[in-house]
Amino acid sequence: MGLRHFLTALTVLPSIVYCQSPLTSSKRGLVYVPSEKYPQDDANWDSPTSDLTWYYNYGSKPSPAFANFPKLQFVPMLWGTGNSSTFLSDVQSQIKAGANITYVLGFNEPDGDSSTGGSDIPAETAAQIWMQQIEPLAKQGVKIGAPACTGAETGRQWTQEFFTACSNCTIDFIPVHWYGDFQGLASHIGEYVGTFNKTIWVTEFADAHVNLQESQTFYNQSSSYLDRTENVTHYSYFGAFRSDVSNVGANSAMLTQDGKLTDIGSWYLGGGETGSVPKSAAYRKTAFIRSSLLVGLTTMWCVL
């Protein structure tokens, strides 16, 4: 990191904050893919205390489950090569039908392997698709977000390669992802601001695979920091799913294994503590085995 980038990172590093984050925030959005198995979970995100104003679902079309949630503005994403041939027409059709499409997001973790959720696209290929499927939207007044890379160093390298390959592309802001501690998140944002001089959307973030207290501390520190950092205009915490299917650890989830809001989930929606503790799939399996053993032992005792 050069001196200028280092100094920029220092300016965005806040002092450690341990208090609960502000209950509401105009920056908060939702990254959410509705569950076919648990459609009742959709209603959690229409909380009367919430001021969520936007969401994305990794696709180019809005989620039917949110059709009756008018305050949630849909932000289309060109995830990867899979929806690259229809993205422009999908978005333009929505605009023509009267949808309020003011932002779109570029590729999802193009520097990442498909096995970990990345779209795995070379920067040159991404630039070619961009000019065909995304750039025309800029002429319609839509604000465009760069591809959102992983939090690894390869992510920033890929972004630099993309800016070189797509020098004529319109890029209004840069989405970033982060899975790690709070200091790392703040430093990561500072590096991107210093390198690319763009406003930032944090479209995925969590402290993965840590204990519950660490997860809650990270959430409160990071959301408070993001709310007061001018260079960050939007953010969406990665946790809108049940804890027993979480790929970033049960304690990061905003829903318990039974679909109830955890403390983090409730805080994110402007509510108070719920006391609902998230459990992992392993815990559920262990509980089932214990219950089965207890039933078996009780049956044996009765027979004896």
Side-chain angles (χ1 to χ4, degrees):
M1 187 192 309
L3 178 60
R4 179 171 63 88
H5 299 162
F6 175 73
L7 292 174
T8 301
L10 285 180
T11 63
V12 299
L13 278 171
S15 58
I16 301 300
V17 178
Y18 291 98
C19 59
Q20 183 180 325
S21 65
L23 291 181
T24 58
S25 167
S26 60
K27 298 182 180 183
R28 287 181 198 167
L30 192 69
V31 47
Y32 181 67
V33 178
S35 169
E36 294 183 3
K37 187 176 182 180
Y38 302 112
Q40 65 270 30
D41 290 353
D42 301 338
N44 283 305
W45 316 116
D46 193 33
S47 167
T49 63
S50 168
D51 62 352
L52 299 182
T53 57
W54 64 278
Y55 81 99
Y56 77 100
N57 58 12
Y58 299 103
S60 58
K61 298 179 180 179
S63 301
F66 283 179
N68 296 321
F69 298 178
K71 67 179 182 180
L72 284 179
Q73 179 186 0
F74 176 59
V75 180
M77 170 184 275
L78 200 169
W79 184 88
T81 56
N83 68 333
S84 63
S85 62
T86 62
F87 181 79
L88 178 60
S89 60
D90 287 345
V91 175
Q92 288 181 329
S93 294
Q94 293 170 59
I95 295 174
K96 186 176 181 180
N100 182 26
I101 304 294
T102 55
Y103 303 101
V104 296
L105 300 173
F107 304 97
N108 184 71
E109 299 191 350
D111 62 309
D113 187 82
S114 58
S115 64
T116 59
S119 54
D120 194 11
I121 306 173
E124 294 78 8
T125 302
Q128 294 171 5
I129 297 173
W130 183 286
M131 292 303 295
Q132 297 170 359
Q133 296 291 323
I134 295 182
E135 189 63 27
L137 293 170
K139 297 179 181 179
Q140 296 181 243
V142 178
K143 300 298 183 182
I144 300 175
C149 288
T150 67
E153 180 58 29
T154 55
R156 194 153 57 95
Q157 293 172 355
W158 191 100
T159 303
Q160 289 175 318
E161 293 173 4
F162 178 78
F163 270 70
T164 300
C166 212
S167 57
N168 293 323
C169 295
T170 301
I171 299 174
D172 297 295
F173 59 92
I174 300 180
V176 300
H177 293 176
W178 182 258
Y179 293 99
D181 64 21
F182 168 64
Q183 288 81 3
L185 170 65
S187 178
H188 186 62
I189 292 171
E191 289 174 2
Y192 266 80
V193 171
T195 302
F196 302 105
N197 194 29
K198 299 282 185 181
T199 55
I200 302 295
W201 287 32
V202 185
T203 49
E204 288 185 21
F205 71 104
D207 195 358
H209 305 292
V210 296
N211 65 41
L212 184 58
Q213 182 178 358
E214 290 172 321
S215 288
Q216 292 180 342
T217 298
F218 169 82
Y219 168 75
N220 285 318
Q221 289 177 329
S222 58
S223 57
S224 178
Y225 162 64
L226 296 174
D227 283 332
R228 67 175 187 267
T229 300
E230 292 183 0
N231 289 321
V232 176
T233 62
H234 297 67
Y235 67 85
S236 51
Y237 180 77
F238 190 76
F241 37 72
R242 295 193 177 201
S243 59
D244 58 347
V245 297
S246 173
N247 62 347
V248 291
N251 295 317
S252 295
M254 291 198 280
L255 299 177
T256 69
Q257 65 281 2
D258 299 317
K260 298 177 181 178
L261 286 171
T262 64
D263 287 348
I264 291 177
S266 181
W267 292 336
Y268 197 70
L269 297 178
E273 294 182 2
T274 65
S276 298
V277 179
K279 301 295 183 183
S280 66
Y283 177 89
R284 183 187 289 273
K285 183 177 181 180
T286 301
F288 174 78
I289 292 173
R290 287 175 178 171
S291 177
S292 299
L293 286 173
L294 180 60
V295 171
L297 289 172
T298 302
T299 302
M300 288 177 61
W301 181 82
C302 290
V303 171
L304 292 174

